[in-house]
Amino acid sequence: MTTKKDQIFQAIISHINKAGLLKNLTIAEIARLADVGKGTVYEYFSSKDEVICETIIYILESIMAETLFEIPTNTQFSTILIKHIEAMLKVSQKYANIDLMLMTDGISSTLEAAYKQKLLQKVIEIKKKYTDYLKTLISIGVKENIIIDIPDQYLIFIVGNIIMTGVSYYYHELPQEARNEKEHINRIYQTIIKLLS
Amino acid sequence: MTTKKDQIFQAIISHINKAGLLKNLTIAEIARLADVGKGTVYEYFSSKDEVICETIIYILESIMAETLFEIPTNTQFSTILIKHIEAMLKVSQKYANIDLMLMTDGISSTLEAAYKQKLLQKVIEIKKKYTDYLKTLISIGVKENIIIDIPDQYLIFIVGNIIMTGVSYYYHELPQEARNEKEHINRIYQTIIKLLS
Amino acid sequence: MTTKKDQIFQAIISHINKAGLLKNLTIAEIARLADVGKGTVYEYFSSKDEVICETIIYILESIMAETLFEIPTNTQFSTILIKHIEAMLKVSQKYANIDLMLMTDGISSTLEAAYKQKLLQKVIEIKKKYTDYLKTLISIGVKENIIIDIPDQYLIFIVGNIIMTGVSYYYHELPQEARNEKEHINRIYQTIIKLLS
Amino acid sequence: MTTKKDQIFQAIISHINKAGLLKNLTIAEIARLADVGKGTVYEYFSSKDEVICETIIYILESIMAETLFEIPTNTQFSTILIKHIEAMLKVSQKYANIDLMLMTDGISSTLEAAYKQKLLQKVIEIKKKYTDYLKTLISIGVKENIIIDIPDQYLIFIVGNIIMTGVSYYYHELPQEARNEKEHINRIYQTIIKLLS
DNA sequence: GATGAATGAGAGTTCATTCAT
DNA sequence: CATGAATGAACTCTCATTCAT
C-alpha cells in the first residue's frame, strides 16, 4: 500500500468527519486535503467512484480490524464482549458521521451500479464475518452458562444491531454531560444478556 | 396541497424505489417522472435541495401517519403492538431503499448546511413523537402486567430500533422463500417482550 | 394610450431609476411594478424587446416634450436658452440613470437587431429635431447680435453636448453642497456664448 | 498576464466591435471566439460578471495607455494636444461601439451591484487621471500664452468631453466621404482654444 | 380583456477526467 | 511518477412566452 494512497483515504475520511459526506467531496478537494495533485489521484484509482468505493472498503476493514479481537482461550465471555463494545465506541468516534452511513445505502446510492454492486458484496462479506465473530463470542457465553443457547441468525443480527444502536445512542442521544463510558458499555452488555438468557 | 407538488414527491419516491437514491436524480429526471416541465418544479420549490428536503419530510410524515395508530381504550397491548409492527413492515416495503436511509445521514449528507439542519430538526421531532408513542403503547403492556415497568429512554430507543432492524432483516436478510409475515411479526413482538419483561 | 400601457412604462422607468438598468428587469418584475398580470404585458406588446424599445421611445419623446419649448416671438435669446437648460436639468433628475444611457448603445445593445435598428432611427430623428431646435434658438441669438453667425452642424452638435455634459457634471461631479442651480445654468449658458461668439 | 486571459479579453472586444454589446454575449460565445473551452474561462475568472468587469477595466486602461503620452519638456502645446486628439480618434476606431458605452452605465447596468461598484471606482480613478493629464497639458498652453489661464474643474471636464464628442461626431455623424482626419482634428483643437482663450 | 400556472430553451457554472510537461 | 491547466458534458436554475380559465 503506497503512502499516497493512504493520504487519499485519510483525506476523504477527514472530509467526511468534518463536512458530512458527499457535499463538496470533489476530486479537487480530495487532492488538496491529501496534499497531492489532482492527476495523482488517477494514478492510483481509475475513477472517482473507485476512490469512494475503495475508501469505504478501507474504512469497513479498518473497523473490523479494530473491533474484532483475537479471542484467546480461557477468556471470560464478559471480558471479551465488553472489550468489543468498548472498541466499537472508540471506532465510532473516530469515524464520526461514517458509522451509521455504512449500514445503509447512504454512500453507495451515489455510485455507479457496478461499484454499488461491488460494495454490496463487501458489506455482505463483512456482515458475515461479524455475525460469525459474534457467534463465536456468544458460544463462549454458552459454555460459561451465561447464555442458554446459541441463538439463530435473526437473534445474532439483532444483537449486532443493539451494539451499534447502543453506541449511536451514546454519541447522538445522550447529552455530553450525561455520558459515562464504562456505565454505558455495561448497559449495552446487560441488554444483550437479557435478550439471550 | 397541490396535485403537482404531490406528483413531484411521488416522482422522487418512485425514482428512489427503483434506482437507489441520488445517482441520476436530476431535476430533469424528476420533472420527467412527475410528468411536468422542468420549470414547474421551481414553481413549487426554490431549489433542488429544497425539493429533496421536503420530499424526505413528506416521507417521514407519511410513515408516521401510516404506522402510529390511534390507541383505542380497552385495546390489548399485543394487538396494538403487532398492528404497529405490521404497519412498519408494509411501509418499509412501500418506501423500499428509503427506510434505512432515513435513519442516517445518507440523504442529508448531500444537502446544503441549512437544509441539513432543517431536516435534522424534523428527524428529532419525529424521533420524539415515535418515542412518546412507544412509551404510551408500552404503558398499556405494563397495565396488563405483560411488561414489568415503564422502560427508560435508552430502552425505548432500543425497542424502536429492534422494530426497524427486525423489519430490515425481513426484507434484506431473509430469502424470499423463507419469509412468513405473521411469524416474523410475532418474532419481533417476542423479542421486545423478552427485553422488557 | 391605455392606462395599463402607461403603468408599464412607468414601472420600467421606476425600475431603472432605482436599480440601474438591465439587471433584474424581467417581465415578471415589470408586471409586478405595473400592478398588472404577466400575461397583460403581452396584450399591449408583442415581446419584451418591444416593451423596452417602446419605453425608450416614450422616454425620449417625454424628454423632448419637456425641454423643447415653443419659442414665442419677441423672446430674448438668453431667456429661452436658459429656460431650456433649466428644463434639461429637471428632466435629467427625473430620469436619473437614463439620461446618459440614452445617448449610447447602453440599452439598445441588449435588443434584437430589428429593434436596435428601430431605436436607432428614432434616435436619429430626435437628434435632428433637437439640432433643428438649437439652430432656431441660436438664430434668435444671431438676430440679437449675441452670436456672430449661425454655426454649422458640428458646432451645434458640440453645443448640444455641452448642455448635456454640463447637466451631467452638475449631478455626477459636483458634490451636493456645492450645487447652485441658477449659477450652474448660467455657467453652461456662458460656455455656449463663449464658443459661439 | 496569461495568454489565455488576453485571448478572452480580445474575444469580448471583438464581439462588441462586431455585434454591439450584450446581446448574445454568452460564456459559450466568448469561449468560442477566444478559442478556449467554456470551463477555461472559469479558470481565469470566477463569474461572467467578473469577466465583463475586468474586460472593461482592461479596455479603459488600454485607452489611457494609448492616448496619454509622456509630455516631453520643450514640446509645443499644439503638437501634444493634437497628438492626443489623434490618438483618441485611433483608439475610438479600435474600440468602436465601446467608446460611448464607457461613458455611461451601458455596460455596468447589467452587472451585479458589487461589480458595478468596482467598475465605478475604476471609472472615477481614470477620470481623475485624465483630468490631471488635461490640466498638465493645458498648463503648457498657458506658458505659451495660447491659453489665458488654467481652467477650473468644470471647464476641464467640458474640454475632455469636447474631445470625446468631437471624435464621436467624426465616426457617427460625418458621412464616410466627408471625413478628413487632419482637418477634423484641427477643428476639435480650435474648438478647445476658442473655449479657453 | 386579464391572468398566472406551466413550460422548455438556453444561460451560467461545476467538476471528473485527460494529457502535455 | 507527479502535476495542474484545459476541457466539455452535464447539471441547476432563469425567464420570456403561451394559453386555458
Side-chain angles (χ1 to χ4, degrees), chain C residues 112-177:
Chain C
E112 211 58 74
Y115 285 107
K116 200 171 167 171
Q117 193 53 34
K118 192 183 172 190
L119 207 48
L120 193 60
Q121 287 308 318
K122 196 73 198 177
V123 167
I124 289 171
E125 180 196 321
I126 284 187
K127 269 186 181 167
K128 171 108 185 57
K129 217 191 236 170
Y130 187 47
T131 305
D132 287 349
Y133 180 80
L134 285 179
K135 210 187 234 168
T136 310
L137 210 151
I138 288 168
S139 72
I140 298 173
V142 174
K143 272 187 214 143
E144 293 181 16
N145 282 319
I146 293 168
I147 291 159
I148 304 175
D149 216 349
I150 298 279
D152 67 355
Q153 208 210 341
Y154 164 76
L155 220 47
I156 291 177
F157 188 83
I158 294 292
V159 167
N161 235 283
I162 284 173
I163 294 171
M164 287 192 230
T165 304
V167 165
S168 170
Y169 181 85
Y170 187 74
Y171 288 116
H172 299 122
E173 306 290 327
L174 272 184
Q176 197 97 31
E177 65 274 15

Side-chain angles (χ1 to χ4, degrees), chain A residues 162 165-166 169 173-174 184 186-195, chain B residues 130-131 134-135 138 147-163 191-197:
Chain A
I162 284 173
T165 305
Y169 181 86
E173 307 291 327
L174 271 185
H184 192 70
N186 193 52
R187 187 89 212 255
I188 296 173
Y189 175 77
Q190 294 302 339
T191 313
I192 294 167
I193 296 299
K194 178 84 181 261
L195 203 64
Chain B
Y130 188 47
T131 305
L134 286 179
K135 209 186 232 168
I138 289 168
I147 291 159
I148 304 173
D149 218 349
I150 298 278
D152 67 354
Q153 208 209 343
Y154 164 76
L155 220 47
I156 291 176
F157 188 82
I158 295 291
V159 167
N161 237 282
I162 284 174
I163 294 171
T191 312
I192 294 167
I193 296 299
K194 179 83 181 261
L195 203 64
L196 298 183
S197 59

Side-chain angles (χ1 to χ4, degrees), chain A residues 162-187:
Chain A
I162 284 173
I163 294 171
M164 286 191 230
T165 305
V167 165
S168 170
Y169 181 86
Y170 187 73
Y171 287 117
H172 299 122
E173 307 291 327
L174 271 185
Q176 198 98 31
E177 64 274 15
R179 292 184 199 161
N180 178 323
E181 211 174 290
K182 208 156 194 179
E183 198 181 286
H184 192 70
I185 291 169
N186 193 52
R187 187 89 212 255

Side-chain angles (χ1 to χ4, degrees), chain D residues 38-142:
Chain D
K38 242 191 315 169
T40 306
V41 177
Y42 286 88
E43 288 286 319
Y44 295 92
F45 305 94
S46 67
S47 70
K48 190 189 173 186
D49 271 10
E50 190 176 299
V51 187
I52 302 297
C53 184
E54 292 211 11
T55 304
I56 298 169
I57 290 174
Y58 171 85
I59 294 171
L60 285 171
E61 288 185 338
S62 298
I63 291 176
M64 285 295 110
E66 292 173 36
T67 59
L68 269 48
F69 301 104
E70 291 283 318
I71 304 171
T73 37
N74 300 326
T75 325
Q76 252 192 312
F77 170 68
S78 62
T79 310
I80 187 78
L81 179 52
I82 281 169
K83 205 175 155 201
H84 169 66
I85 297 170
E86 201 180 349
M88 287 293 275
L89 260 183
K90 265 195 201 106
V91 107
S92 181
Q93 191 170 31
K94 187 170 169 188
Y95 301 112
N97 295 321
I98 304 180
D99 54 345
L100 278 179
M101 212 171 303
L102 289 177
M103 299 161 62
T104 73
D105 273 342
I107 294 170
S108 71
S109 70
T110 67
L111 299 179
E112 211 59 75
Y115 287 110
K116 202 171 167 173
Q117 192 51 34
K118 193 185 171 188
L119 209 47
L120 193 60
Q121 287 309 318
K122 196 75 199 177
V123 167
I124 289 171
E125 179 196 321
I126 284 188
K127 270 186 182 167
K128 171 107 184 59
K129 220 191 232 169
Y130 188 47
T131 305
D132 287 349
Y133 181 79
L134 286 179
K135 209 187 235 168
T136 310
L137 211 150
I138 288 168
S139 72
I140 298 173
V142 175

Side-chain angles (χ1 to χ4, degrees), chain A residues 4 37-40 44:
Chain A
K4 299 251 173 194
K38 249 190 303 174
T40 308
Y44 296 93

Side-chain angles (χ1 to χ4, degrees), chain B residues 135-151:
Chain B
K135 209 186 232 168
T136 310
L137 211 150
I138 289 168
S139 72
I140 298 172
V142 174
K143 273 186 214 143
E144 294 180 17
N145 283 319
I146 294 167
I147 291 159
I148 304 173
D149 218 349
I150 298 278

Side-chain angles (χ1 to χ4, degrees), chain C residues 9-175:
Chain C
F9 286 150
Q10 291 307 325
I12 294 173
I13 292 167
S14 162
H15 176 91
I16 297 175
N17 278 345
K18 266 181 267 162
L21 191 56
L22 308 145
K23 203 80 186 178
N24 304 324
L25 181 59
T26 65
I27 289 288
E29 175 66 1
I30 292 168
R32 196 184 62 77
L33 287 172
D35 206 30
V36 300
K38 248 190 303 174
T40 308
V41 176
Y42 286 86
E43 291 288 325
Y44 296 93
F45 305 93
S46 68
S47 70
K48 189 190 173 184
D49 271 11
E50 192 176 296
V51 186
I52 302 298
C53 186
E54 293 211 10
T55 304
I56 297 169
I57 290 173
Y58 171 86
I59 294 171
L60 287 171
E61 290 185 337
S62 298
I63 291 175
M64 285 295 110
E66 292 174 38
T67 59
L68 270 48
F69 300 103
E70 290 286 317
I71 303 172
T73 37
N74 301 326
T75 325
Q76 251 193 310
F77 169 69
S78 63
T79 310
I80 187 76
L81 179 53
I82 280 168
K83 205 175 154 200
H84 168 66
I85 297 169
E86 200 181 348
M88 289 292 275
L89 260 182
K90 265 196 201 103
V91 106
S92 180
Q93 191 169 31
K94 186 171 169 187
Y95 300 111
N97 295 321
I98 306 180
D99 54 344
L100 279 178
M101 213 173 301
L102 290 176
M103 300 162 62
T104 74
D105 276 341
I107 294 170
S108 70
S109 70
T110 66
L111 299 178
E112 211 58 74
Y115 285 107
K116 200 171 167 171
Q117 193 53 34
K118 192 183 172 190
L119 207 48
L120 193 60
Q121 287 308 318
K122 196 73 198 177
V123 167
I124 289 171
E125 180 196 321
I126 284 187
K127 269 186 181 167
K128 171 108 185 57
K129 217 191 236 170
Y130 187 47
T131 305
D132 287 349
Y133 180 80
L134 285 179
K135 210 187 234 168
T136 310
L137 210 151
I138 288 168
S139 72
I140 298 173
V142 174
K143 272 187 214 143
E144 293 181 16
N145 282 319
I146 293 168
I147 291 159
I148 304 175
D149 216 349
I150 298 279
D152 67 355
Q153 208 210 341
Y154 164 76
L155 220 47
I156 291 177
F157 188 83
I158 294 292
V159 167
N161 235 283
I162 284 173
I163 294 171
M164 287 192 230
T165 304
V167 165
S168 170
Y169 181 85
Y170 187 74
Y171 288 116
H172 299 122
E173 306 290 327
L174 272 184

Side-chain angles (χ1 to χ4, degrees), chain B residues 53-88:
Chain B
C53 184
E54 291 210 12
T55 303
I56 298 169
I57 289 174
Y58 171 84
I59 294 171
L60 285 171
E61 287 184 340
S62 298
I63 291 176
M64 285 294 109
E66 292 173 39
T67 59
L68 271 47
F69 300 104
E70 290 286 316
I71 304 172
T73 36
N74 301 325
T75 325
Q76 251 192 311
F77 170 68
S78 64
T79 310
I80 187 78
L81 180 51
I82 280 168
K83 206 174 153 201
H84 169 66
I85 297 169
E86 201 180 349
M88 288 292 275

